[in-house]
Amino acid sequence: ASSYILRIFRPLEDFISVRESSGVKIAKNLTSKDVVQVLDPVFLLNVEEWETIEKEVSVSESYILIYDFDNNIELVQFARELAKENGWKLYSFLKNDRCDRSFEKEGPRVFLWLIQHAEFVVSNSFHATAFSIIFQKQFVVFTRKESINTRMQDLVSQLGISECLIQENGKSKLKMIDYKIVEKQLSKEVSNSKAYIMEVLNSKKID
């Protein structure tokens, strides 16, 4: 069995892919092989496919959703001011006493539903950013205290919406995302990523 597994996966050793443009540079410095940038796998499913696993929650009001890992006061204040301006409630997926409602005991299926039905998403999370893009939501993403911002920075840059990223202690001039433009670039990147996967799978036949 072990020899069969090795025969299956040995061809894949010739292929290296990463999600971030910065990761391409790092990987190329560590190997002589080609390194290809691809999208995070969440983008390889479309909206309809993600909707099949969502779990609806009882909500009867418009809301901003925040997803804050850092207990970032600036992030919450930004969201509260935006909610107040528009007459929206403030929801959080993690426990947050400064919000009107929290969903900390819920799982990823509710997470998807909350993002899709939010009026706006404010987070410091890569996946909240990714699913905001998939569901074509207006959003901003704050940088994290930890040094793990590269994924978010590279993603918004790749899609031409870097203005959605708010640096630490930075101010944001809210600019609405034109998803007609984003969709064209995202569709191109999805096609390239899927083509790369097929290239890897079809590169060598398994004995």
Side-chain angles (χ1 to χ4, degrees):
S2 60
S3 61
Y4 177 71
I5 292 173
L6 286 173
R7 281 157 50 206
I8 290 176
F9 287 103
R10 192 176 301 281
L12 304 186
E13 295 174 359
D14 296 331
F15 296 87
I16 302 174
S17 63
V18 296
R19 291 178 296 185
E20 299 87 23
S21 58
S22 53
V24 172
K25 298 175 183 177
I26 294 171
K28 281 185 174 180
N29 288 333
L30 297 174
T31 178
S32 60
K33 299 181 184 297
D34 289 334
V35 181
V36 176
Q37 182 182 6
V38 294
L39 286 174
D40 188 277
V42 298
F43 289 103
L44 303 186
L45 298 181
N46 60 35
V47 172
E48 291 74 21
E49 289 169 318
W50 284 116
E51 285 177 335
T52 62
I53 62 173
E54 288 180 346
K55 181 180 179 182
E56 183 177 356
V57 293
S58 179
V59 172
S60 60
E61 54 202 6
S62 298
Y63 61 91
I64 289 179
L65 180 68
I66 69 171
Y67 194 27
D68 174 22
F69 285 100
D70 286 340
N71 194 26
N72 187 322
I73 295 175
E74 292 180 1
L75 182 155
V76 177
Q77 185 60 32
F78 175 92
R80 287 183 66 86
E81 291 176 1
L82 187 59
K84 184 177 179 180
E85 289 173 7
N86 291 277
W88 299 332
K89 295 295 185 180
L90 187 57
Y91 289 0
S92 174
F93 190 69
L94 301 178
K95 183 174 176 57
N96 192 312
D97 295 334
R98 291 171 289 180
C99 294
D100 297 297
R101 189 173 175 186
S102 298
F103 295 83
E104 71 274 11
K105 294 183 180 180
E106 300 293 348
R109 296 173 62 198
V110 169
F111 174 72
L112 292 175
W113 192 93
L114 287 171
I115 289 182
Q116 184 175 20
H117 293 86
E119 300 294 335
F120 201 97
V121 179
V122 181
S123 79
N124 46 30
S125 155
F126 172 82
H127 284 100
T129 301
F131 282 109
S132 293
I133 294 168
I134 291 170
F135 291 126
Q136 299 194 352
K137 311 305 296 186
Q138 298 299 324
F139 73 91
V140 295
V141 54
F142 281 68
T143 56
R144 296 277 293 277
K145 295 176 183 177
E146 302 173 27
S147 300
I148 56 173
N149 294 303
T150 304
R151 285 191 298 169
M152 299 181 293
Q153 292 170 346
D154 284 358
L155 176 60
V156 295
S157 175
Q158 186 177 14
L159 298 179
I161 50 174
S162 293
E163 66 274 8
C164 295
L165 182 69
I166 301 179
Q167 301 288 347
E168 186 177 358
N169 299 321
K171 299 296 181 183
S172 172
K173 293 182 179 179
L174 193 58
K175 183 177 180 181
M176 304 302 281
I177 301 169
D178 184 347
Y179 273 105
K180 290 181 180 178
I181 296 175
V182 174
E183 190 172 17
K184 290 181 181 179
Q185 182 62 24
L186 181 59
S187 177
K188 175 184 175 182
E189 299 294 344
V190 169
S191 295
N192 290 342
S193 296
K194 288 182 176 180
Y196 178 76
I197 292 173
M198 294 309 301
E199 178 187 354
V200 172
L201 295 177
N202 294 328
S203 62
K204 295 181 181 179
K205 292 183 179 181
I206 307 303
D207 294 333

